[in-house]
Amino acid sequence: MTTPSCPCGRSEAYDKCCGRFHASAAAPTAEALMRSRYSAFVKGDAGYLLRTWHPRTRPARLDLDPGTRWTGLEILDSTGGSAFHTTGTVTFRASHRGGSLHERSRFERVDGAWVYVDGEFLD
């Protein structure tokens, strides 16, 4: 039996890729956090999305549309966001049945952990 690859598009199994971040590990880069947040949308994990959202911009609650079927993630560009940075951006296209979302997301470190700040829609 083959283990399916992670929803974020990497070839590793979910448990070894984004699943470990959803369980409790900290994402080491802004791109890894972006990928894990995409996987959380695929899995419907609103709790993880809220936990990894900057306290300054985090909504009080997040209602995910259970009818949205995410079908793929493409990382188009990233700046900063490594272990040596305090900020970073990731530009991506997330596809779903019926369309796609093209965004440049901003990330910052808070108490050493990467968090999502906000995003700018590009299309």
Side-chain angles (χ1 to χ4, degrees), residues 16 26 28 30 33 52 60 62 68 70 77 85 99 104-105 110 116 123:
K16 300 246 186 273
L33 181 64
T52 57
L62 185 61
T68 300
W70 296 100
D77 189 36
H85 298 101
R104 180 179 303 112
S105 294
V110 172
Y116 170 79
D123 282 345

Side-chain angles (χ1 to χ4, degrees), residues 16 25 28 36 49-50 57 61 69 121:
K16 300 246 186 273
S36 71
L49 293 165
L50 289 169
T57 57
R61 57 183 265 190
R69 295 290 176 249
F121 296 116

Side-chain angles (χ1 to χ4, degrees), residues 6 15 20 24 32 46 50 79 83 90 104 107 110:
C6 191
D15 290 346
R20 63 194 171 112
S24 70
L50 289 169
T79 60
V90 179
R104 180 179 303 112
F107 298 89
V110 172

Side-chain angles (χ1 to χ4, degrees), residues 5-6 10 26 32 39-40 42 48 67 77 81 90 93 95 106 123:
S5 60
C6 191
R10 297 223 184 258
S39 291
V42 171
Y48 179 78
D77 189 36
V90 179
R93 179 170 283 109
S95 300
R106 292 187 320 126
D123 282 345

Side-chain angles (χ1 to χ4, degrees), residues 26-41 45-62 64 70 73 75 81 86-92 94 101-122:
T29 65
E31 182 179 326
L33 181 64
M34 170 43 247
R35 287 179 176 279
S36 71
R37 287 178 56 85
Y38 170 81
S39 291
F41 274 103
D45 189 345
Y48 179 78
L49 293 165
L50 289 169
R51 284 193 309 278
T52 57
W53 210 309
H54 197 292
R56 184 177 74 237
T57 57
R58 179 189 308 135
R61 57 183 265 190
L62 185 61
L64 300 178
W70 296 100
L73 175 67
I75 302 297
T86 56
T87 63
T89 65
V90 179
T91 305
F92 66 93
L101 170 72
H102 185 196
E103 181 178 306
R104 180 179 303 112
S105 294
R106 292 187 320 126
F107 298 89
E108 291 179 12
R109 282 187 187 263
V110 172
D111 297 329
W114 285 107
V115 291
Y116 170 79
V117 177
D118 58 22
E120 170 189 3
F121 296 116
L122 301 174

